[in-house]
């Protein structure tokens, strides 16, 4: 079955985010999907691409990103066919991104079954990941549902969204989705874990391309109406101009809010491969860096001297530089070539502080 259907299986890697919550390391000129924290020396995007090879054929792997990142994508994936690069003029979140991607694939292949994956995730077991995606594609090929991959949680983590399953959770067995919850606080996450009814929301979607198009038409008609002439537009000389116009008018919204939380046709596919979504410095602290005896996460290209520090993040990408820190608790010290950020590990306050970067005088540092 898999060999017969393989030519209709596609993967879309979503790589257009700015990663502003990972500032100052993630910048508008080079956001987090192009950064490298792995021992392999490969970026998040490159690793995402290599993980899906073998799940779908190379010619069916697409990357959707912003026009400004076209050269960066091709630098990290030089073998990518230019026809498999979907370029958005502006970042409008995952609903517009996947509407454009699904229609581009449908124009190519009316029988297409697609999986959409974020570029900035950490996966521990690549073999199980591929096996899970392949099984989900097989299931979605014969279903009218949108399937989301749900990760069986191992701890009450407030960094992730949660999916409530409508039946007993059995890895590899699709289950009807009951509810979605965006990033609960720690107390509620603990309740979720105790019930045994919840999965982490991986942000990975699997479905037939025509099913996604139909669900967007049903639940996000304003978005769908902007694409009413898509068969005529896509693949034609008019595409770039038309997409520019569509993205100027489209509302910024995630697929979860636009479709998933409204649809009656959503299933979750429980999985147990090691997974983390690297969305901010807290996820860096939890998943990308080892901790010392005082629970400090230290990642430096030079040397570090820490005394009486607790639960802090110490980061520097400057070769040969000594980072000396004393007496900080729950702080971040982030040192890059042109920015030094020292602040508490409070994401809400940090977000408020970083909003000032929108001012014209800070344009060079965004």
């Amino acid at each position: 079955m898999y060999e017969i259907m393989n030519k209709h299986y596609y993967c879309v890697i979503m790589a257009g985010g700015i990663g502003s919550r990972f500032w100052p390391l993630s910048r508008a000129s080079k956001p987090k999907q192009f950064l490298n924290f792995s021992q392999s020396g490969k970026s998040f995007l490159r690793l995402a691409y290599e993980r899906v090879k073998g799940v779908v054929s190379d010619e069916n792997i697409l990357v959707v990103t912003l026009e400004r990142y076209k050269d960066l994508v091709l630098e990290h994936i030089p073998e990518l066919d230019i026809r498999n690069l979907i370029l958005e003029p502006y970042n409008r979140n995952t609903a517009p991104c996947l509407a454009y991607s699904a229609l581009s694939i449908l124009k190519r292949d009316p029988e297409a079954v697609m999986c959409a994956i974020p570029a900035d995730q950490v996966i521990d077991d690549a073999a199980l990941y591929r096996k899970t995606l392949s099984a989900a594609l097989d299931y979605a090929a014969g279903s009218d549902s949108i399937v989301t991959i749900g990760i069986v949680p191992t701890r009450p983590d407030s960094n992730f969204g949660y999916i409530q399953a409508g039946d007993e959770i059995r890895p590899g067995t699709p289950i009807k989705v009951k509810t979605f919850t965006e990033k609960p606080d720690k107390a509620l996450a603990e309740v979720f874990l105790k019930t045994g009814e919840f999965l982490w929301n991986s942000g990975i979607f699997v479905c037939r391309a025509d099913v996604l198009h139909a669900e967007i038409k049903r639940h996000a008609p304003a978005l769908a109406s902007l694409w009413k002439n898509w068969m005529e537009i896509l693949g034609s000389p008019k595409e770039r101009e038309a997409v520019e116009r569509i993205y100027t008018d489209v509302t910024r919204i995630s697929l979860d809010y636009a479709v998933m939380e409204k649809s009656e046709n959503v299933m979750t596919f429980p999985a147990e491969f090691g997974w983390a979504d690297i969305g901010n410095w807290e996820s860096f602290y939890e998943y990308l860096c080892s901790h010392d005896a005082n629970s400090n996460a230290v990642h430096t290209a030079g040397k570090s001297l820490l005394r009486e520090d607790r639960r802090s993040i110490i980061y520097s990408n400057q070769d040969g530089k000594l980072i000396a820190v004393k007496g900080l608790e729950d702080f971040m010290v982030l040192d890059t070539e042109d920015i030094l950020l020292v602040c508490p590990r409070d994401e809400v306050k940090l977000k408020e502080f970083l909003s000032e970067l929108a001012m014209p005088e800070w344009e060079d540092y965004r």
Side-chain angles (χ1 to χ4, degrees):
M1 177 68 171
Y2 176 77
E3 292 299 326
I4 295 173
M5 293 296 296
N6 187 51
K7 67 178 181 179
H8 298 301
Y9 289 0
Y10 293 77
C11 179
V12 176
I13 302 174
M14 297 177 285
I18 302 297
S20 58
R21 292 183 297 163
F22 211 41
W23 186 89
L25 195 56
S26 180
R27 309 281 283 272
S29 58
K30 189 177 181 180
K32 61 182 176 179
Q33 57 268 30
F34 302 106
L35 302 178
N36 157 47
F37 287 103
S38 71
Q39 293 182 348
S40 67
K42 297 175 181 178
S43 66
F44 285 122
L45 175 60
R46 181 69 205 183
L47 291 172
Y49 177 79
E50 292 183 357
R51 277 195 298 268
V52 296
K53 287 172 67 70
V55 177
V56 305
S57 58
D58 290 3
E59 61 266 26
N60 287 357
I61 301 175
L62 292 81
V63 176
V64 56
T65 191
L66 297 183
E67 288 179 356
R68 66 184 301 180
Y69 301 139
K70 175 183 176 181
D71 291 340
L72 269 175
V73 169
L74 295 175
E75 176 186 325
H76 287 253
I77 314 176
E79 66 268 44
L80 185 72
D81 190 323
I82 192 67
R83 295 172 299 177
N84 286 1
L85 193 54
I86 300 173
L87 299 175
E88 299 178 285
Y90 317 111
N91 187 313
R92 294 292 186 260
N93 214 319
T94 52
C97 162
L98 290 176
Y100 185 11
S101 301
L103 292 176
S104 297
I105 291 172
L106 269 178
K107 182 69 181 284
R108 181 188 301 194
D109 181 358
E111 298 180 56
V113 187
M114 59 183 281
C115 60
I117 65 171
D120 54 353
Q121 298 189 334
V122 172
I123 306 295
D124 286 343
D125 189 335
L128 182 56
Y129 173 84
R130 293 187 189 98
K131 182 178 179 181
T132 300
L133 280 187
S134 295
L137 283 162
D138 286 339
Y139 174 81
S143 170
D144 291 332
S145 299
I146 300 177
V147 180
T148 181
I149 304 297
I151 309 299
V152 177
T154 56
R155 60 192 170 275
D157 200 310
S158 57
N159 287 306
F160 307 143
Y162 283 73
I163 300 166
Q164 184 179 21
D167 203 344
E168 179 186 355
I169 292 174
R170 289 172 293 175
T173 302
I175 310 167
K176 188 81 172 177
V177 168
K178 193 172 181 179
T179 63
F180 288 92
T181 303
E182 271 297 309
K183 296 181 181 176
D185 59 29
K186 191 66 176 288
L188 186 55
E190 289 175 353
V191 172
F192 286 174
L193 191 67
K194 289 176 181 177
T195 67
E197 298 177 5
F198 289 82
L199 300 160
W200 288 333
N201 186 353
S202 71
I204 299 172
F205 307 100
V206 187
C207 59
R208 298 200 324 262
D210 64 328
V211 166
L212 181 55
H213 179 46
E215 289 294 292
I216 290 173
K217 288 175 67 176
R218 184 174 298 114
H219 300 291
L223 170 59
S225 68
L226 295 172
W227 287 101
K228 60 184 178 181
N229 297 324
W230 65 275
M231 282 293 287
E232 174 190 340
I233 293 168
L234 295 178
S236 77
K238 298 182 290 185
E239 179 172 346
R240 184 169 183 176
E241 179 183 347
V243 171
E244 176 84 26
R245 185 169 59 251
I246 289 168
Y247 270 71
T248 299
D249 295 337
V250 78
T251 300
R252 179 182 173 86
I253 188 170
S254 70
L255 190 72
D256 281 340
Y257 285 126
V259 174
M260 305 293 279
E261 294 182 5
K262 302 173 184 177
S263 176
E264 296 295 321
N265 299 319
V266 179
M267 304 289 287
T268 186
F269 203 91
E272 292 185 302
F273 52 79
W275 168 92
D277 179 35
I278 307 303
N280 53 29
W281 282 104
E282 284 305 299
S283 54
F284 171 90
Y285 178 87
E286 294 288 347
Y287 313 111
L288 285 183
C289 205
S290 59
H291 298 165
D292 67 14
N294 292 320
S295 299
N296 299 301
V298 184
H299 185 108
T300 64
K303 295 182 178 181
S304 61
L305 175 63
L306 275 62
R307 294 292 184 268
E308 301 172 24
D309 302 295
R310 302 282 188 278
R311 301 176 303 278
S312 292
I313 300 172
I314 313 298
Y315 175 89
S316 174
N317 59 10
Q318 301 302 296
D319 289 332
K321 190 171 188 178
L322 170 65
I323 304 298
V325 184
K326 184 177 187 297
L328 294 185
E329 294 191 2
D330 299 302
F331 256 70
M332 300 195 299
V333 178
L334 310 175
D335 181 49
T336 69
E337 183 178 357
D338 59 342
I339 295 171
L340 172 64
L341 173 65
V342 182
C343 66
R345 273 180 54 196
D346 185 323
E347 187 178 355
V348 174
K349 292 180 180 178
L350 179 61
K351 183 177 181 180
E352 294 171 355
F353 173 63
L354 295 184
S355 66
E356 297 187 30
L357 290 173
M359 300 298 289
E361 61 262 39
W362 309 121
E363 183 177 0
D364 291 343
Y365 300 98
R366 291 176 199 158

